[in-house]
Amino acid sequence: MRLKLQIWRQENGEAGGQFVTYELADASPEMSFLEMLDVLNEQLTERGEEPVAFEHDCREGICGSCGMMINGQAHGPMAGTATCQLHMRHFQDGDEIRIEPWRSAAFPVLKDLVVDRAPLDRIIESGGYISVNTGSARDANEILVPKPAADRAMDAAECIGCGACVAQCPNGAGQLFTSAKISHLGLLPQGQPERDRRVKRMVETMEDYFGSCSNYRECEAVCPKGISIDFIARMNRDYVKALIRGE
Amino acid sequence: MAKLIQLYRSSVGKKFLMAASGIVLFGFVLGHMLGNLKLYLGPESLNRYAEWLREIGYPALPHSGFLWLFRLVVLGAVGLHILAATQLTLLNRRARPVDYRGRQVVEADYASRTMRWGGVIIALFVLYHLAHFTLGPSWAHPDFVPGDVYHNVVVGFQVPWVAGFYILANIALGFHLYHGLWSMFQSLGVDGESRQGWRRNFAVAFAWIIALANISFPVAVLTGIVS
């Protein structure tokens, strides 16, 4: 496959950036998108140029490290896949592909396609935990968890924190991520003691960094794990309830 | 009150209050549309209805007392709705200072992407509409007769560009209502089957009903069904 890549290059957070066009003559349809970038980086290194910086780790869609805007869509054109799981067979020979970093006031660009997603960690720190008593380990089945609650909590827990929801949202909102993390704990009996405090603190931390929700549903559409915006509705209700109850 | 202010400080709370004020405004446009259907029952019926609106609660309340109370509630809802929308829009602009070279729209429909401008069009239309049929200065209405609503409506809509503006504004209202009614459930935290369930049907049904009925009034005058 012959590809024309327009990639955002930026030296560091302070420097301005620009799109640079690269020709890649020998991409294979079997490559993943990241492997295609690896090949480009090999060629750049051989030519003595700086390789394109991008984040990656597991390359099997579970770590949430990789993520870039591919032709204006977070994680590219395939639904339910992270960038590492996107394969070049979904592109045509001769395609022009534009690759940009996530854009959000909360995610400053560090270098090329790498952004600082630390605000997502700040949200987790503010309430993404449960109380665990010290002492001897309790029996695993001592706390009964209704099956529907366990299933739904698991759906929310699928969130890998890649930030695609923020990147795709026209408002740069962090509701899908935050609501998934709140629901994942708040749906389970173990998450009840801090339920009100959790939703209040996590929502308020989220609002220090991100925009608000206009129900565009763009986040849900690009989420590699298919997290439902129903969790956002659940978070909204939990937040208002927590305020009424006086947390 | 302190809790309401605390709620309003957050963007989740602003959306909640936008939904709450949206319910008031939805109730208003629905009632307004239903009342206007009396246009089809003739001058007597429509004018008596308009007169009754001023007399609700009389003599317990002064003349037009209830009407003014009602107007204040609607005005408050409009104010809150616009204030929250403006503040959220500014917040959202700040959250994405650098945009993509070409962001692909994946899922967001036309209605959701035109909420802000749709809202502006509706607000401007309402101002014009108040001048046209409530205040009736000569620049807005060619022959305004206070109290004769039927006459005012029929004469007013005989001007084609005025009727056209009403039709356009109500198309904008239909789109705004569709996304607004659907979003309302989300902002109020009604959980479960977000996409194709009864919430979407509810939003689609009322957006069509209100827009079509409102559009039928100028169309009926222009085509001579009502004269």
Side-chain angles (χ1 to χ4, degrees), chain A residues 72 103 167 207 212 218 229-230, chain B residues 11 92 96 107-108 186 194:
Chain A
R103 295 285 188 198
E207 293 186 343
S212 80
E218 290 282 291
I229 59 164
D230 285 349
Chain B
S11 77
N92 295 337
R96 165 76 45 73
E107 185 70 30
Q186 189 76 6
S194 57

Side-chain angles (χ1 to χ4, degrees), chain B residues 4 7-8 12-30 70-86 88 115 173 176-177 180-181 183-185 187-188:
Chain B
L4 259 183
L7 182 66
Y8 190 81
V12 167
K14 282 192 187 75
K15 288 292 292 190
F16 188 86
L17 294 170
M18 273 189 82
S21 55
I23 291 174
V24 173
L25 299 175
F26 167 62
F28 171 73
V29 290
L30 184 64
F70 184 77
R71 281 172 174 169
L72 280 178
V73 170
V74 172
L75 199 66
V78 169
L80 184 63
H81 207 70
I82 292 176
L83 181 70
T86 309
L88 289 171
M115 284 306 269
L173 178 66
H176 199 82
L177 271 175
L181 288 175
S183 289
M184 174 182 85
F185 295 112
S187 301
L188 294 177

Side-chain angles (χ1 to χ4, degrees), chain A residues 6 19 69 71-73 98 100-106 152 166-172 175 200 203 206-207 210-218 220-222 228-230 232-237 239-240 243-247, chain B residues 3 6-13 15-16 88-89 91-109 112-114 116 178-179 182-196 199-200:
Chain A
Q6 278 182 45
F19 283 97
M69 291 301 269
N71 287 338
Q73 192 170 335
R98 193 177 51 249
E100 296 173 76
W102 288 167
R103 295 285 188 198
S104 159
R152 221 166 156 229
V166 174
Q168 188 71 29
C169 176
N171 298 343
Q175 318 312 70
K200 187 156 179 293
V203 163
M206 168 185 86
E207 293 186 343
F210 299 103
S212 80
C213 180
S214 293
N215 304 310
Y216 290 114
R217 295 184 293 177
E218 290 282 291
E220 183 185 61
V222 299
S228 165
I229 59 164
D230 285 349
I232 299 179
R234 194 182 172 281
M235 172 180 78
N236 292 341
R237 192 181 55 211
Y239 181 74
V240 174
L243 281 192
I244 292 169
R245 282 199 284 253
E247 173 52 51
Chain B
K3 277 182 181 169
Q6 199 187 0
L7 182 66
Y8 190 81
R9 279 215 192 100
S10 77
S11 77
V12 167
K15 288 292 292 190
F16 188 86
L88 289 171
T89 301
L91 172 80
N92 295 337
R93 296 264 152 88
R94 284 198 301 275
R96 165 76 45 73
V98 182
D99 209 349
Y100 300 102
R101 180 173 275 193
R103 198 179 63 83
Q104 200 78 33
V105 174
V106 188
E107 185 70 30
D109 55 20
S112 70
R113 288 181 282 124
T114 52
R116 287 163 190 157
Y178 164 61
H179 187 70
W182 182 88
S183 289
M184 174 182 85
F185 295 112
Q186 189 76 6
S187 301
L188 294 177
V190 180
D191 196 3
E193 45 162 355
S194 57
R195 267 194 248 237
Q196 302 299 339
R199 288 191 262 169
R200 190 176 170 278

Side-chain angles (χ1 to χ4, degrees), chain B residues 119-169:
Chain B
V120 170
I121 291 170
I122 293 164
L124 292 175
F125 165 74
V126 167
L127 290 177
Y128 173 75
H129 181 50
L130 284 173
H132 191 213
F133 282 149
T134 306
L135 302 171
S138 57
W139 62 264
H141 198 286
D143 181 26
F144 187 80
V145 181
D148 193 352
V149 179
Y150 188 89
H151 164 85
N152 293 338
V153 169
V154 171
V155 173
F157 283 154
Q158 270 161 1
V159 185
W161 71 264
V162 171
F165 181 42
Y166 270 76
I167 291 168
L168 275 180

Side-chain angles (χ1 to χ4, degrees), chain B residues 26 29-30 33-34 36-37 40 122 125 166-178 181 203-219:
Chain B
F26 167 62
V29 290
L30 184 64
M33 179 277 282
L34 290 173
N36 285 349
L37 286 175
Y40 295 118
I122 293 164
F125 165 74
Y166 270 76
I167 291 168
L168 275 180
N170 275 290
I171 292 171
L173 178 66
F175 279 111
H176 199 82
L177 271 175
Y178 164 61
L181 288 175
V204 169
F206 278 99
W208 273 109
I209 291 169
I210 290 175
L212 280 182
N214 281 346
I215 288 168
S216 80
F217 305 130
V219 170

